[in-house]
């Protein structure tokens, strides 16, 4: 009897905890991507079970991923965005259940660095995780999109050297991403990691830089990280980490010359 | 109708997933400990809800923590081990539901490094997390036990300089700990992080070195890491990470002169 009650209480607690909005769920690590682990066994359906907002990439590095309002998009190197299939697979993705903890209205032309600084000033702690959603009109937005890779896979720093860069001008859309604590470097991208999807849902990419004309920055905090590591494939044998992880992430994920 | 079914399926999946034994639940980060964040708001009861096996420390750095068979012990600098109260608080702890994936019988005198090498040869991947339980008789076992700290807290490398070291000789007991992937350095202690509890449950500490006479090494793998970050206290304002994290962890957690 007491046992059944305990069991019930345990389940109820679990369900309540699971419904909390303050978790980021991530499949695999950015250090695995750096080492050329471009195939994963997690499906888009698996990822969407854990959140309605996030980013990532697809198997063979075939496009950037944006998840917005529970829909997963694939942004290809040709500039197109299409809805991903639930069965599409990913080697790296991070999602959360987006809720707005606070918003910042931007009414004058503001550069990426100033937007980041404004967020930095308002967050509770640089040691928690924040999902960032910027909806607005952009004077200019520079993106890159990774290109499909063939086996044997080169490391990410090499794969991104061939990346297609696109400049969106005078474009409406949404920036989707995360601000991640420094101690997560290697597991995730420390600092800001942002993707873009235009308002027509027809184009976008991994953001290198932007100037926001006007819009709203919404920030959704998380104190729980669920890291799901691959249990099969190239991840298992990959030589991960190394002292130069931060430098290589900067080279692969940041603007050229950063 | 379909909605109710979806909800049911979602809950059922959640419960099944939650009952999986392949999760390590961790409260806070080792980099926060390094910076002197020695007070946390997680209770022993909170931690035990997520696992029956693990390690950590207590508020004010008042003792090493061992969790074995669902019981939480506090190992103090005077060499004693006592049962922790459910309301005791911790600034850092990691637990899992221990299940034995494989065991290694040790029948001849074996040094710590050889035990580690034997485990390394049998694990599926250096990129997954493994709980390590070594039950046996130890020819010699060197431990340290952190000492209670007073505000303002010094960093961990300084706090551990004053640590009490104990040598157990001809002792039976259990080694409790984890083997953690390199990419988790800063979040956890990369490599082996082991604590000891003697078979009488009266003494133990953080392991610096040991020679196993005979015993059984049991290994319990995990592919899921749930990292729970503190939402209050000194953690929020701490300056975490930095390039020398690995070096400082080695100094604070490893044998002297390692």
């Amino acid at each position: 009897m007491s046992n059944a009650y305990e069991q019930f209480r345990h389940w109820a607690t679990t369900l309540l905890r699971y419904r909390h909005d303050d978790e980021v769920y991530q499949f695999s690590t950015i250090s695995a991507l750096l080492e050329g682990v471009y195939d994963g066994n997690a499906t888009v359906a698996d990822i969407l079970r854990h959140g309605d907002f996030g980013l990532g990439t697809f198997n063979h590095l075939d496009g950037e991923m944006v998840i917005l309002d529970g829909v997963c998009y694939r942004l290809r190197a040709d500039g197109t965005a299409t809805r991903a299939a639930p069965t599409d697979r990913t080697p790296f993705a991070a999602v959360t259940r987006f809720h707005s903890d606070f918003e910042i209205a931007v009414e004058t032309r503001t550069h990426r660095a100033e937007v980041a600084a404004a967020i930095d000033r308002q967050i509770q702690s640089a040691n928690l995780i924040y999902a960032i959603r910027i909806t607005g009109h952009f004077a200019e937005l520079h993106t890159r999109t990774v290109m499909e890779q063939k086996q044997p896979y080169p490391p990410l720093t090499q794969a991104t050297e061939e990346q297609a860069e696109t400049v969106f001008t005078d474009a409406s859309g949404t920036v989707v991403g995360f601000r991640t604590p420094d101690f997560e470097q290697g597991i995730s991208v420390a600092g800001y990691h942002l993707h873009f999807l235009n308002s027509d849902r027809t184009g976008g990419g991994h953001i290198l830089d932007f100037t926001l004309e006007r819009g709203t920055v919404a920030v959704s905090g998380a104190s729980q990280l669920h890291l799901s590591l691959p249990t099969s494939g190239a991840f298992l044998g990959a030589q991960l980490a190394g002292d130069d992880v931060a430098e290589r992430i900067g080279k692969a994920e940041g603007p050229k010359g950063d």
Side-chain angles (χ1 to χ4, degrees), chain A residues 67-79:
Chain A
I67 294 171
L68 182 60
D69 299 328
V71 179
C72 180
Y73 300 90
R74 183 197 294 260
L75 320 172
R76 279 223 175 79
D78 61 3

Side-chain angles (χ1 to χ4, degrees), chain A residues 183-205:
Chain A
F183 59 77
E184 267 197 61
Q185 186 73 291
I187 287 181
S188 310
V189 176
Y192 288 89
H193 184 192
L194 306 171
H195 286 186
F196 176 68
L197 182 67
N198 69 10
S199 56
D200 296 339
R201 313 297 196 233
T202 54

Side-chain angles (χ1 to χ4, degrees), chain A residues 126-204:
Chain A
N127 300 326
L128 297 175
I129 313 168
Y130 295 94
I132 310 290
R133 187 186 68 203
I134 309 172
T135 313
H137 193 80
F138 298 83
E140 202 169 280
L141 202 141
H142 293 245
T143 66
R144 75 99 198 273
T145 308
V146 287
M147 306 192 37
E148 185 172 11
Q149 301 294 311
K150 302 244 180 296
Q151 296 262 17
Y153 293 142
L156 190 62
T157 48
Q158 196 176 319
T160 54
E161 273 171 14
E162 309 154 31
Q163 67 197 1
E165 293 194 20
T166 307
V167 180
F168 294 83
T169 49
D170 204 21
S172 289
T174 306
V175 169
V176 168
F178 294 94
R179 185 196 190 283
T180 300
D182 284 345
F183 59 77
E184 267 197 61
Q185 186 73 291
I187 287 181
S188 310
V189 176
Y192 288 89
H193 184 192
L194 306 171
H195 286 186
F196 176 68
L197 182 67
N198 69 10
S199 56
D200 296 339
R201 313 297 196 233
T202 54

Side-chain angles (χ1 to χ4, degrees), chain A residues 30 57 74-75 103-104 110 115 118 131 152-153 193 197 219 225 230 252 257:
Chain A
I30 196 79
T57 183
R74 183 197 294 260
L75 320 172
E103 299 194 351
I104 304 169
T110 310
V115 172
Y153 293 142
H193 184 192
L197 182 67
V219 178
L225 172 68

